[in-house]
Amino acid sequence: MKRVVSIQDISCLGRCSLTVALPVISAMGVECAIVPTAVLSTHTAFPGFTCKDLTDQLTPIARHWRSQGVTFDAISTGYIASAPQARQVLDFVASIRSPETLLVVDPAMADNGALYKGFTPEFARAMGAVVCSKADIIDPNITEAAFMLGAEYKEDGSYDEDYVRELLQGLVALGPKKAVLTGVSLEPGSCGVYGLDGKTGQYFSYFNELVDARFHGTGDVFSSTTVGALLNGLELDEALAVAADYTVACIKATISQPDHNWYGVDFETEIPYLLKLIGK
Ligand code: PXL
């Protein structure tokens, strides 16, 4: 069985980060080890959340895993709480990564033109320069890309394909092999992903319908699904299409429930659909 390690916080309530990655990746038939970088009572959109930083656990965990000779087919990183933690996560990754290990970085730190609580533009630049630079694949949304590059943020409806391609060129110049922008909308009613392979210079894209609802954790659903699909043998463009279709299905399932919560999506109900998408 393929094995991935997901490195990000555990928000005890909130349907994001590890509470999404673990069930989604496991459901796809891939072993999912985890490294919780912090424990929060909820994600940071709740008022008054608590947070215990676990950065000091990274080195002992890596040392122990190395002593056990474990290897990983992929390493996936998500929300990272600070620039010092980003550097520690990178050291951790370097110490357990082999040449065959795929590194997928989701620089989860911003959406809708704004950074999440507690982050600064300097942190965003550090995430780009430190963590994204070493990745095989990065999958920021447009807000995250703009902050990492110090570029202008443009809202849906006010940018064109040239803007998307410029962001992608800036992202691959940071160093990752491939960059994928999520939440790209080039036509009314359509939303999807647009990527660039830094080696071949080839662009690729996949669009689905735009569902007019925003929820926390959809980036985490997307990113985890992409990693799970890749480890099921799908090519990147196929994995992204699966991740986009599943994420849209999760949002639709959520809004179809009149009493749905505001903080995350009902990804659980759509797991059978996800398995169908990957032929399981
Ligand atoms: O879904 C991204 C995410 C992950 N982890 C924490 C968050 C958020 C988004 O707000 O606050 C702690």
Side-chain angles (χ1 to χ4, degrees):
M1 187 179 274
K2 299 279 187 185
R3 182 186 301 124
V4 54
V5 54
S6 179
I7 308 173
Q8 50 189 325
D9 69 282
I10 186 155
S11 290
C12 300
L13 174 79
R15 280 172 160 165
C16 71
S17 40
L18 284 181
T19 61
V20 166
L22 190 48
V24 168
I25 292 170
S26 300
M28 296 173 88
V30 174
E31 179 184 345
C32 184
I34 59 164
V35 176
T37 50
V39 184
L40 291 85
S41 52
T42 61
H43 63 53
T44 59
F46 285 81
F49 63 89
T50 68
C51 179
K52 169 79 177 160
D53 187 289
L54 298 175
T55 310
D56 66 356
Q57 294 305 299
L58 291 170
T59 304
I61 293 171
R63 200 176 291 139
H64 182 228
W65 283 1
R66 269 202 319 277
S67 79
Q68 301 305 301
V70 240
T71 56
F72 294 94
D73 298 291
I75 301 172
S76 162
T77 73
Y79 179 98
I80 290 173
S82 65
Q85 186 174 76
R87 278 182 276 277
Q88 296 272 340
V89 165
L90 197 65
D91 288 347
F92 181 92
V93 167
S95 69
I96 59 160
R97 190 181 188 181
S98 72
E100 295 77 39
T101 309
L102 185 75
L103 175 60
V104 182
V105 173
D106 177 12
M109 61 174 131
D111 209 355
N112 304 319
L115 289 163
Y116 296 150
K117 232 173 280 172
F119 290 147
T120 61
E122 293 70 40
F123 168 76
R125 300 299 283 257
M127 266 296 280
V130 175
V131 188
C132 290
S133 65
K134 301 286 186 288
D136 292 295
I137 301 164
I138 62 171
D139 62 352
N141 58 36
I142 289 189
T143 307
E144 289 156 349
F147 273 107
M148 289 196 295
L149 297 170
E152 184 191 356
Y153 167 73
K154 294 189 184 177
E155 289 194 5
D156 284 4
S158 66
Y159 57 79
D160 57 13
E161 205 160 354
D162 287 345
Y163 172 72
V164 172
R165 289 186 172 209
E166 266 168 43
L167 286 180
L168 285 166
Q169 284 163 16
L171 291 172
V172 296
L174 293 174
K177 293 202 180 88
K178 293 173 187 172
V180 177
L181 276 173
T182 61
V184 175
S185 182
L186 293 172
E187 279 172 26
S190 153
C191 184
V193 294
Y194 206 115
L196 172 61
D197 182 325
K199 199 165 154 200
T200 63
Q202 246 179 341
Y203 290 99
F204 48 94
S205 59
Y206 178 79
F207 291 93
N208 197 322
E209 71 187 279
L210 173 70
V211 186
D212 192 18
R214 306 245 178 190
F215 287 97
H216 280 267
T218 48
D220 303 337
V221 170
F222 180 88
S223 192
S224 309
T225 308
T226 303
V227 176
L230 288 170
L231 292 195
N232 270 274
L234 276 68
E235 295 297 333
L236 180 59
D237 58 339
E238 299 168 328
L240 293 169
V242 165
D245 289 350
Y246 176 54
T247 306
V248 167
C250 293
I251 298 170
K252 282 184 167 175
T254 309
I255 55 181
S256 75
Q257 297 299 318
D259 62 342
H260 67 77
N261 69 58
W262 62 271
Y263 55 77
V265 287
D266 295 4
F267 68 90
E268 300 89 343
T269 23
E270 295 305 311
I271 282 178
Y273 171 63
L274 168 61
L275 298 189
K276 238 182 256 159
L277 287 175
I278 59 167
K280 288 220 157 166

Short mmCIF file of all heavy atoms in Angstrom, two decimals, residues 9 18 27-28 57-58 93 98 115 129 135 143 146 193 212 232 245 271:
data_model
loop_
_atom_site.label_atom_id
_atom_site.label_comp_id
_atom_site.label_asym_id
_atom_site.label_seq_id
_atom_site.Cartn_x
_atom_site.Cartn_y
_atom_site.Cartn_z
N ASP A 9 -1.68 21.27 10.88
CA ASP A 9 -2.29 21.34 12.20
C ASP A 9 -3.45 20.37 12.33
O ASP A 9 -3.99 19.89 11.32
CB ASP A 9 -2.84 22.75 12.46
CG ASP A 9 -4.04 23.03 11.58
OD1 ASP A 9 -3.85 23.32 10.40
OD2 ASP A 9 -5.19 22.90 12.07
N LEU A 18 -5.93 18.26 9.12
CA LEU A 18 -5.80 16.80 9.30
C LEU A 18 -7.13 16.07 9.43
O LEU A 18 -7.21 14.89 9.06
CB LEU A 18 -4.92 16.49 10.53
CG LEU A 18 -3.42 16.67 10.33
CD1 LEU A 18 -2.67 16.32 11.61
CD2 LEU A 18 -2.90 15.83 9.18
N ALA A 27 -9.69 6.80 2.85
CA ALA A 27 -10.80 6.27 2.05
C ALA A 27 -10.33 5.91 0.65
O ALA A 27 -10.87 4.99 0.03
CB ALA A 27 -11.94 7.29 1.98
N MET A 28 -9.31 6.61 0.16
CA MET A 28 -8.81 6.34 -1.20
C MET A 28 -7.85 5.15 -1.23
O MET A 28 -7.22 4.87 -2.25
CB MET A 28 -8.15 7.60 -1.76
CG MET A 28 -9.13 8.75 -1.93
SD MET A 28 -8.33 10.30 -2.40
CE MET A 28 -8.32 10.15 -4.18
N GLN A 57 8.10 18.98 18.44
CA GLN A 57 7.98 17.53 18.26
C GLN A 57 8.53 17.05 16.92
O GLN A 57 8.72 15.85 16.71
CB GLN A 57 6.50 17.11 18.38
CG GLN A 57 5.92 17.32 19.76
CD GLN A 57 6.74 16.61 20.81
OE1 GLN A 57 6.88 15.38 20.79
NE2 GLN A 57 7.33 17.36 21.73
N LEU A 58 8.76 17.99 16.01
CA LEU A 58 9.15 17.59 14.65
C LEU A 58 10.46 16.82 14.63
O LEU A 58 10.56 15.74 14.02
CB LEU A 58 9.23 18.82 13.74
CG LEU A 58 7.88 19.50 13.42
CD1 LEU A 58 8.10 20.83 12.71
CD2 LEU A 58 7.03 18.58 12.56
N VAL A 93 10.94 17.59 6.46
CA VAL A 93 10.73 16.99 5.14
C VAL A 93 12.06 16.49 4.58
O VAL A 93 12.17 15.35 4.10
CB VAL A 93 10.09 18.02 4.18
CG1 VAL A 93 10.15 17.55 2.73
CG2 VAL A 93 8.64 18.30 4.60
N SER A 98 12.97 10.79 0.40
CA SER A 98 13.95 10.10 -0.45
C SER A 98 13.80 10.70 -1.85
O SER A 98 12.85 11.43 -2.11
CB SER A 98 13.68 8.60 -0.45
OG SER A 98 12.52 8.33 -1.21
N LEU A 115 -5.29 37.45 4.09
CA LEU A 115 -4.57 36.42 4.83
C LEU A 115 -5.42 35.94 6.00
O LEU A 115 -6.21 36.72 6.56
CB LEU A 115 -3.25 36.99 5.37
CG LEU A 115 -2.17 37.27 4.34
CD1 LEU A 115 -1.10 38.20 4.90
CD2 LEU A 115 -1.52 35.97 3.86
N ALA A 129 9.24 31.26 -0.53
CA ALA A 129 10.68 31.11 -0.73
C ALA A 129 11.21 29.86 -0.03
O ALA A 129 12.13 29.20 -0.52
CB ALA A 129 11.41 32.34 -0.20
N ALA A 135 9.17 22.04 -3.52
CA ALA A 135 8.09 21.09 -3.79
C ALA A 135 8.12 20.54 -5.21
O ALA A 135 8.67 21.14 -6.12
CB ALA A 135 6.75 21.78 -3.54
N THR A 143 -5.32 34.14 -4.15
CA THR A 143 -4.91 35.03 -3.05
C THR A 143 -3.54 34.62 -2.53
O THR A 143 -2.66 35.47 -2.33
CB THR A 143 -5.93 34.96 -1.89
OG1 THR A 143 -7.24 35.20 -2.39
CG2 THR A 143 -5.60 35.96 -0.81
N ALA A 146 -0.78 35.46 -4.99
CA ALA A 146 -0.49 36.90 -5.03
C ALA A 146 0.33 37.32 -3.80
O ALA A 146 1.31 38.06 -3.93
CB ALA A 146 -1.79 37.70 -5.11
N VAL A 193 -9.05 24.80 -12.11
CA VAL A 193 -7.62 24.87 -11.80
C VAL A 193 -6.84 25.16 -13.08
O VAL A 193 -7.27 24.79 -14.18
CB VAL A 193 -7.11 23.54 -11.20
CG1 VAL A 193 -7.75 23.30 -9.85
CG2 VAL A 193 -7.36 22.36 -12.12
N ASP A 212 -21.75 29.04 -6.05
CA ASP A 212 -21.65 30.32 -5.38
C ASP A 212 -21.77 30.18 -3.85
O ASP A 212 -22.78 30.54 -3.26
CB ASP A 212 -22.73 31.27 -5.92
CG ASP A 212 -22.46 32.70 -5.46
OD1 ASP A 212 -21.32 32.99 -5.06
OD2 ASP A 212 -23.41 33.51 -5.48
N ASN A 232 -2.93 6.86 -6.32
CA ASN A 232 -3.70 5.80 -6.97
C ASN A 232 -3.28 5.64 -8.42
O ASN A 232 -3.96 4.96 -9.19
CB ASN A 232 -5.20 6.10 -6.87
CG ASN A 232 -5.83 5.51 -5.61
OD1 ASN A 232 -6.22 4.35 -5.60
ND2 ASN A 232 -5.87 6.30 -4.54
N ASP A 245 -13.78 17.91 -9.12
CA ASP A 245 -15.15 17.38 -9.16
C ASP A 245 -15.63 16.99 -7.75
O ASP A 245 -16.77 17.23 -7.37
CB ASP A 245 -15.23 16.16 -10.09
CG ASP A 245 -15.09 16.55 -11.55
OD1 ASP A 245 -15.12 17.76 -11.86
OD2 ASP A 245 -14.94 15.65 -12.40
N ILE A 271 -17.93 10.65 -0.20
CA ILE A 271 -16.81 9.71 -0.35
C ILE A 271 -17.14 8.59 -1.35
O ILE A 271 -16.29 8.25 -2.19
CB ILE A 271 -16.33 9.21 1.04
CG1 ILE A 271 -15.47 10.33 1.67
CG2 ILE A 271 -15.52 7.92 0.91
CD1 ILE A 271 -14.93 10.07 3.03
#
